Amino acid sequence: MSLTGICQVCETARADHTCRTCGRQACPEHWNDAVGACSPCARGLDGGGGTDPDNSTDHRR
Ligand SMILES: [Zn+2]
Ligand SMILES: [Zn+2]
């Protein structure tokens, strides 16, 4: 049985998903549901996209 772990991206929030690409656990904040992977992987899978449509929390100016 898999117990809920800690998000291995921020290491603070409780992980709700397990990334199939890298196998690490990710909290909802670091989970890209559109891609079905954690945000680090989602960025890589997305390829040469400069913008993150899902990641609106990280607002850069
Ligand atoms: Zn997280
Ligand atoms: Zn991943």
Side-chain angles (χ1 to χ4, degrees):
M1 279 155 253
S2 50
L3 290 168
T4 315
I6 296 295
C7 170
Q8 290 174 22
V9 181
C10 60
E11 294 185 327
T12 19
R14 206 190 304 176
D16 227 4
H17 309 271
T18 306
C19 179
R20 283 186 184 177
T21 310
C22 65
R24 77 180 126 193
Q25 296 179 293
C27 67
E29 212 172 309
H30 292 109
W31 179 256
N32 194 323
D33 201 42
V35 184
C38 64
S39 3
C41 285
R43 285 188 191 184
L45 288 169
D46 201 30
T51 44
D52 309 17
D54 247 21
N55 205 354
S56 46
T57 34
D58 190 21
H59 226 275
R60 267 192 154 190
R61 17 179 183 163

